[in-house]
Amino acid sequence: MLDWTYRAVTALRQRGAAAGRSLRWSAGDVPQALPIRLAAMLLGARFSAEQPASEGGDALTITDADLSALDAARASEPRMADDAPFSVVRGSFVWSAAVFGESLAAMRDALGPSPARTAVLSSLAGFGGDAAFASWSAGAPVHHLPAAASPAKALAFLERAAPDCAILSAALLRSLVAHPAAALADLGSLRRVVYDAGVGGALSVESSAAVRRVLGAELADRIASGAGLVPLERELRRAEQEAARIAELVTSCPGVAAAAVIPSEGDSWAVFAVPAKRARDGADGDASGQRLISEATAALEAEFAGTDLNRAIAAVERLGQTALLSMLNALSRSGLFTDAAAVHTVDEVLARARVAAEHRPLIRRWLRVLTEQQLLRRDGDLLSAARPVGDYSDAALARAWDELKGEWLATVGATGTIDYALRNAERLPDMISGAVRAVHLLFPEGRTDLARALYRESIAARYQHRAVSHLVSRIAKAWPGQRPIRLLEVGAGTGATSESLLPELSGADVDYLYTDISRYFLDQAAPRLTAYPSVRFGLYDINAAPREQGFVPSSFDVIIGGGVLNAARNTDASVRWLSELLGPGGWLVLTEPTVEEFWVMASQAFMLDDASDGRAETESTFLSLPQWNAVLDGAGLQRVLGLPEDGHPLQRLGHRVFAARAKTDRVPLTSERLSAHLGERVGAAARIDIVDELPLTSGGTVDRERLRDWAARRQRLDSRSNPKAASQARSQ
């Protein structure tokens, strides 16, 4: 270490380091931070892991590229000056009283008497380096793991190193205690934990008790803070007082009903604010919103005025009837319903068709629908064909599909949907048995051409895409905010909705987050959407809570879902989660089928998960219109638009456009407005979350542990989406 230090002196002198100058460390948590720190002291320079405010641009920055010069430099002579701030006696560092004496003594006191082995899991450029020096001064060896290590790696490291004292950040300490493997880890030698409250804030009384219980170690009674090493009680009291002061500032903002503030990582604060209730329901009297709806509806009707809707609708209905005959044909190819006299029970159908277990609910729905559509007849437990066998023979189906293809081409100008449906019809016996997976038919050889056609060609799809485009573009262009309007598209898939909408957003100030559960679709979309710099890409799973994915409540103004929520396992939960993500007055715009689509039952339905919502009760592929209305109402949304309107020709196809407003009973509070209110009265950075309610413990008090979990998830999301912004002063 000493040889490395003297090499660092040479390297730093060559870079211009001198007494009084500041060195800014930006090379990460690597061992070279220690000799650089020692060399800086020998030169009389100041060392900092942050940009020194007083130095401006004059600070000397040490980066990864400078570390190679450290190895190449020759050690300075003499190796130790008479007035050096430290010396070495029998392998231990000894510090002069004038340099680092008080901090060293405080750290030595925190480590406890005679530490035998210290594990450092904190930055060597800061708190971890102080601990390393203090350990060496006590003659104890130091084992180091970079501070960014995961909880699992940290636990494994502590088991291997077997320290009696561990140095780590408050954030990592909380993660360790919460990790499932912590209770099983062999940490018998660990007797003391010293943590850095400057990274994650001071632990609560409950968290401190959890450390003792889970890790079997005592917490040091001194922790690092902005004021140096201070007693734990003093830091907790200071943090509580400052949090209370900030919370009082937050609640003084008009429109805030309640607030909670907790320390967050990086000497920052996590602010949670609840919007106040409005005196009346805002959406009923929202004349501007109703005007947007009227304008969008009028533009939509004008766009389709010259379309032969009846012919296009007839082609869709013919597709459904042909799919029904294909279902019956597939069963006949398994030896079922081969003549008018053949009768079978449901169980016999499932057995003889070799129906895979995961597809049995779907095939039961087939039998019910075929009976309702009078292709099968039921007599007690027995089913028989209600149509002549010739109607669903191979030859009859070949003619039907060929005629349908010609009609589809005449009405929509392409045949991709029919090509896909026919491909599925031909492979139905193998799909039923599980020998062929439906996803491979939709994306043959990984191609998306069939899927793209599927979501664009039909008259219902075209009507829905244009309805969404007319409405959302008007919402965006009328946006009154001082920041871009934030749009989230979930289940964006092949981009059928965004392809129609994005050109309409020209001239609007938007931040468009294009998401899907699969990165495959994001990678496919990115090259196509390079002309739209406002579009970002991310993952979103409609079957998982937004916070579990790092998303923040009330963070979007418009959420769009084009035909995706029928893939949800529980539509009620998925819609509630989307509602949470909308700010007060935000718009949820969805397109969904509300009747059985027979051709979907013979294709994409093989890819859908079993539902645990209203579809399970009605044994249907899609929610009905009344069920959808109940879902929206149950999520606390106010329904403001449903298309097609009553009496419209497209109404009989059952494809609906829903528009609903969220939290119309709340004041439209935003993080930008609250940030402006706080101004410079909060010295450290503040990440602001607008939440519907503050979480409470069983005793009725604010659940601060849950708030810490929310804050940690927000921190990870900010770091992934914008690493630079995540470290800056105030979240916007």
Side-chain angles (χ1 to χ4, degrees):
M1 177 59 70
L2 287 177
D3 182 66
W4 222 355
T5 299
Y6 301 134
R7 291 187 182 199
V9 168
T10 300
L12 291 178
R13 279 176 174 161
Q14 291 172 351
R15 288 286 310 277
R21 192 171 185 188
S22 291
L23 304 182
R24 179 179 178 271
W25 178 262
S26 66
D29 190 14
V30 294
Q32 289 95 322
L34 294 177
I36 293 288
R37 291 183 66 177
L38 295 175
M41 284 192 286
L42 285 171
L43 293 171
R46 293 187 293 272
F47 179 95
S48 174
E50 302 293 337
Q51 176 68 48
S54 61
E55 291 294 323
D58 187 49
L60 177 61
T61 300
I62 307 299
T63 66
D64 294 339
D66 297 310
L67 300 183
S68 58
L70 180 65
D71 294 328
R74 296 176 60 86
S76 298
E77 297 292 347
R79 297 174 67 85
M80 179 68 73
D82 293 338
D83 59 349
F86 59 85
S87 60
V88 178
V89 178
R90 288 192 294 276
S92 296
F93 278 86
V94 179
W95 304 83
S96 70
V99 180
F100 204 46
E102 292 185 10
S103 294
L104 179 65
M107 181 62 83
R108 283 281 302 274
D109 181 59
L111 293 176
S114 304
R117 182 180 290 108
T118 302
V120 175
L121 298 88
S122 184
S123 173
L124 295 177
F127 183 63
D130 297 345
F133 294 147
S135 295
W136 285 335
S137 72
V142 174
H143 298 257
H144 173 249
L145 183 71
S150 67
K153 287 185 177 180
L155 286 170
F157 169 75
L158 290 173
E159 282 192 311
R160 290 195 307 271
D164 59 336
C165 186
I167 314 295
L168 64 169
S169 70
L172 180 56
L173 184 54
R174 289 191 185 96
S175 299
L176 284 184
V177 172
H179 197 278
L184 304 176
D186 181 8
L187 304 177
S189 62
L190 187 62
R191 60 180 177 81
R192 179 169 288 225
V193 171
V194 182
Y195 72 93
D196 180 3
V199 183
L203 268 64
S204 65
V205 174
E206 295 83 0
S207 293
S208 299
V211 171
R212 298 183 181 95
R213 182 180 67 255
V214 176
L215 301 184
E218 286 297 319
L219 281 172
D221 59 1
R222 290 178 181 270
I223 59 176
S225 72
L229 285 167
V230 299
L232 173 61
E233 293 78 7
R234 186 196 306 174
E235 175 62 15
L236 286 173
R237 188 163 55 250
R238 184 203 65 79
E240 289 172 357
Q241 291 171 347
E242 180 63 6
R245 183 187 73 84
I246 297 173
E248 186 175 350
L249 287 174
V250 173
T251 53
S252 70
C253 178
V256 175
V261 178
I262 61 169
S264 185
E265 292 193 18
D267 194 28
S268 63
W269 297 94
V271 175
F272 301 91
V274 178
K277 296 276 189 177
R278 301 179 73 156
R280 60 182 178 83
D281 194 320
D284 281 342
D286 184 2
S288 62
Q290 293 302 319
R291 186 184 70 252
L292 294 176
I293 289 172
S294 298
E295 291 175 356
T297 303
L300 180 66
E301 292 308 311
E303 183 171 344
F304 282 85
T307 303
D308 188 347
L309 294 179
N310 289 325
R311 185 178 182 184
I313 292 167
V316 174
E317 292 176 335
R318 187 171 182 179
L319 170 59
Q321 291 302 312
T322 306
L324 287 171
L325 290 171
S326 294
M327 294 179 200
L328 198 50
N329 172 269
L331 296 176
S332 72
R333 282 187 274 166
S334 297
L336 298 159
F337 309 113
T338 54
D339 57 59
V343 293
H344 310 284
T345 65
V346 172
D347 289 341
E348 184 182 355
V349 170
L350 298 177
R352 292 185 63 174
R354 304 190 313 279
V355 180
E358 65 270 23
H359 298 323
R360 291 194 169 205
L362 174 60
I363 303 308
R364 290 180 185 275
R365 291 207 301 276
W366 274 23
L367 298 177
R368 175 176 58 79
V369 167
L370 288 169
T371 303
E372 292 171 351
Q373 296 298 312
Q374 299 181 358
L375 274 74
L376 291 179
R377 67 169 61 91
R378 178 181 288 274
D379 183 7
D381 292 335
L382 298 177
L383 295 169
S384 61
R387 296 276 291 271
V389 174
D391 288 358
Y392 52 89
S393 66
D394 291 349
L397 263 298
R399 289 192 301 272
W401 282 109
D402 189 58
E403 292 170 2
L404 175 59
K405 191 170 185 176
E407 182 63 15
W408 196 268
L409 179 63
T411 56
V412 305
T415 62
T417 301
I418 305 305
D419 293 337
Y420 167 71
L422 174 57
R423 184 182 180 91
N424 280 265
E426 292 171 342
R427 303 301 302 273
L428 278 176
D430 291 331
M431 293 168 66
I432 290 171
S433 68
V436 169
R437 295 183 61 195
V439 68
H440 295 153
L441 299 180
L442 182 57
F443 302 102
E445 300 174 347
R447 302 195 321 270
T448 61
D449 51 310
L450 289 180
R452 287 179 58 81
L454 205 62
Y455 300 121
R456 289 164 173 80
E457 282 184 0
S458 74
I459 186 63
R462 289 161 50 204
Y463 179 87
Q464 289 177 323
H465 298 328
R466 297 308 299 153
V468 171
S469 299
H470 282 299
L471 177 59
V472 174
S473 63
R474 282 167 171 78
I475 294 171
K477 291 178 180 179
W479 175 248
Q482 300 302 308
R483 56 160 174 79
I485 185 171
R486 294 168 177 160
L487 278 69
L488 168 66
E489 183 180 358
V490 297
T494 65
T497 300
S498 54
E499 186 178 277
S500 173
L501 172 59
L502 286 171
E504 302 289 343
L505 294 175
S506 176
D509 191 9
V510 301
D511 175 17
Y512 195 111
L513 183 56
Y514 182 112
T515 70
D516 197 273
I517 191 175
S518 170
R519 192 171 296 280
Y520 169 80
F521 288 115
L522 307 183
D523 293 340
Q524 291 282 316
R528 297 197 310 269
L529 301 180
T530 53
Y532 303 100
S534 63
V535 177
R536 297 182 293 119
F537 299 91
L539 297 174
Y540 184 84
D541 182 358
I542 59 172
N543 289 316
R547 280 200 184 275
E548 297 297 319
Q549 305 177 67
F551 285 86
V552 179
S554 299
S555 54
F556 293 97
D557 307 300
V558 180
I559 296 179
I560 306 161
V564 61
L565 287 169
N566 57 75
R569 287 191 290 269
N570 186 310
T571 311
D572 299 274
S574 295
V575 171
R576 281 198 306 272
W577 289 329
L578 293 179
S579 178
E580 289 177 13
L581 289 175
L582 286 167
W587 294 75
L588 179 63
V589 182
L590 305 174
T591 64
E592 288 293 335
T594 61
V595 297
E596 284 287 13
E597 288 201 278
F598 304 138
W599 73 273
V600 172
M601 293 181 70
S603 55
Q604 290 171 289
F606 283 90
M607 296 188 294
L608 298 177
D609 291 331
D610 290 340
S612 59
D613 51 26
R615 291 168 292 176
E617 300 172 7
T618 57
E619 296 183 342
S620 57
T621 309
F622 304 115
L623 292 174
S624 66
L625 179 56
Q627 286 176 318
W628 259 112
N629 289 338
V631 167
L632 297 171
D633 294 345
L637 294 158
Q638 181 166 7
R639 291 180 279 122
V640 295
L641 177 65
L643 294 174
E645 295 176 326
D646 290 345
H648 193 284
L650 288 173
Q651 185 183 23
R652 73 177 194 251
L653 290 183
H655 280 260
R656 299 288 295 180
V657 178
F658 299 95
R661 306 290 297 274
K663 306 166 189 173
T664 56
D665 62 337
R666 298 296 183 106
V667 171
L669 181 67
T670 65
S671 59
E672 291 77 19
R673 177 179 161 193
L674 187 50
S675 180
H677 172 80
L678 294 176
E680 299 302 320
R681 291 180 289 179
V682 178
R687 286 185 173 85
I688 299 172
D689 283 5
I690 307 300
V691 297
D692 298 339
E693 301 292 346
L694 295 176
L696 301 178
T697 65
S698 57
T701 60
V702 174
D703 189 340
R704 295 189 175 275
E705 286 302 310
R706 193 170 176 191
L707 290 179
R708 287 190 184 93
D709 178 65
W710 289 0
R713 294 178 188 276
R714 168 70 184 274
Q715 170 76 11
R716 289 195 292 272
L717 176 66
D718 287 348
S719 299
R720 289 198 305 268
S721 60
N722 191 347
K724 292 183 179 179
S727 63
Q728 291 175 353
R730 192 178 305 282
S731 170
Q732 296 297 317

